[in-house]
Amino acid sequence: PDIGINTYSTIGLSKYPIDLICEDGREIRVEYIGMCNSDFHEFSNIVASCAFNIIKDNYICKPGMVAVDAIADYCDELEWNIYIILFLYFWENLQGIEYDNKIINWLYMVPISDKELEYINEYGDEKFEELLEEKILTCLTYIENQYYKKWEQ
């Protein structure tokens, strides 16, 4: 999406069931997507591991879920987790894709700290997502302003 940032995603994870059904009876399937600094090379393995949890171990996956220790498996010095969220500011056109009578949603993987995990456990994922949305919008506004400043010079 930008210099110094890489995007990683699954492709084909949606072939595997996650035991979620829409109100109209269609199955919901998922793909993962996430961004990180280009120098964090382990992120692709983290995305793959979370996908293999669904493929091999039949994990149920849904927005608001936390993959505890997903990062620690690859990077001992980081005690972070992966938060799975539905909103996608960067990839809005990837939501609710209908294919083969199934709904496929792309879930955004967000690294979170242990403190953020404590917040989720205490106040719930909806409150956390409100805070996260506020922070992302603030960050996007800052990035957009920096982008336009570059072109004005």
Side-chain angles (χ1 to χ4, degrees):
D2 207 345
I3 295 171
I5 298 173
N6 287 349
T7 300
Y8 295 96
S9 70
T10 57
I11 191 78
L13 179 60
S14 57
K15 292 179 185 176
Y16 299 89
I18 56 169
D19 296 330
L20 292 177
I21 306 292
C22 287
E23 291 175 2
D24 64 7
R26 291 180 294 169
E27 265 190 89
I28 297 173
R29 301 284 179 97
V30 298
E31 297 287 349
Y32 287 139
I33 192 165
M35 293 187 305
C36 67
N37 290 336
S38 297
D39 58 353
F40 186 53
H41 305 288
E42 294 85 359
F43 197 72
S44 60
N45 292 327
I46 294 164
V47 172
S49 288
C50 289
F52 286 133
N53 286 338
I54 291 173
I55 294 168
K56 295 174 77 179
D57 299 325
N58 299 315
Y59 275 34
I60 293 174
C61 173
K62 61 182 182 176
M65 182 189 98
V66 177
V68 178
D69 294 331
I71 294 176
D73 290 343
Y74 292 95
C75 199
D76 291 336
E77 64 272 8
L78 293 177
E79 294 183 13
W80 288 57
N81 308 287
I82 294 289
Y83 183 72
I84 308 299
I85 191 167
L86 186 60
F87 75 90
L88 295 170
Y89 290 102
F90 307 103
W91 306 282
E92 290 175 4
N93 59 337
L94 294 178
Q95 287 305 72
I97 296 169
E98 295 185 41
Y99 178 76
D100 198 23
N101 203 32
K102 295 173 182 69
I103 301 294
I104 301 171
N105 285 317
W106 289 73
L107 301 181
Y108 187 38
M109 303 177 77
V110 179
I112 62 168
S113 68
D114 287 340
K115 291 276 188 199
E116 290 167 316
L117 180 57
E118 288 174 20
Y119 184 92
I120 292 167
N121 289 334
E122 186 169 340
Y123 300 103
D125 60 314
E126 287 183 24
K127 286 287 185 194
F128 177 71
E129 287 183 23
E130 287 173 15
L131 288 175
L132 192 58
E133 188 173 338
E134 184 180 304
K135 297 282 185 203
I136 287 175
L137 290 176
T138 301
C139 183
L140 289 176
T141 300
Y142 173 79
I143 291 169
E144 187 177 83
N145 288 340
Q146 295 304 311
Y147 176 79
Y148 288 120
K149 282 182 187 177
K150 239 192 292 188
W151 289 104
E152 290 174 352
Q153 295 176 357

